[in-house]
Structure formats: structure tokens, C-alpha cells
Amino acid sequence: RRPELGKLEEGMAADMIGISLDRLDLIGAGEDYPASAVFCASANHHVDFSMINGKIIIQDGHFHSIDEDALKNRIAECWKKYRHRYAG
């Protein structure tokens, strides 16, 4: 057993996600909201909050420590190079 697991307190490892249940695509999900929210949110990529090993990764639906616009631009550049190199 790993001593840093099993408790939610400072200094312990923590992985968790948060999904807002107050969204149109989750209305009428039934009485089993946790299961419905995970199913619906994972299918539509609507994670509002994510923490991995105590580090916030996603906050308010956006990456916490990544410049999303810069990442989108870099992906677009890579795609252009790929398309130019391999397109028929």
C-alpha cells in the first residue's frame, strides 16, 4: 500500500475531475447523476476541472498551465507541414 493514497488532505496524491451538471446536454440524465455525468461528459469532452496528483490541469473548462491558443497554432503549423509533405 502506498502511504500517499487514501486521504484527501495536503501532501497526499489526488486525482479528480469536476463536471458541471447544470448544462443542457445533461438535463434529464436521470437520478444517477454521477454515472450519467461521466458518460455524457466523457463523450462530449466537457470536463470543467481536472486535478492529477494534486496539480490542477483543467480549470473552468480550459487547460490551467497551457496556452491553448499557442497550442492550436502549433498544431495548425504541424498539420500544414504534414499536408504539404504527404498530400497527393
Side-chain angles (χ1 to χ4, degrees), residues 2-69:
R2 295 174 46 192
E4 73 276 13
L5 301 178
K7 294 180 184 175
L8 190 56
E9 64 184 45
E10 187 175 338
M12 304 298 278
D15 294 353
M16 63 181 77
I17 63 167
I19 300 166
S20 173
L21 298 177
D22 188 25
R23 42 173 22 117
L24 187 59
D25 56 342
L26 294 179
I27 292 175
E31 292 186 18
D32 189 1
Y33 284 107
S36 298
V38 170
F39 174 76
C40 294
S42 64
N44 294 312
H45 311 290
H46 292 303
V47 174
D48 297 298
F49 178 83
S50 173
M51 179 184 290
I52 299 175
N53 201 23
K55 181 179 178 185
I56 296 174
I57 304 299
I58 297 174
Q59 187 168 11
D60 298 324
H62 298 282
F63 285 100
H64 182 65
S65 60
I66 295 175
D67 182 343
E68 290 184 27
D69 290 329

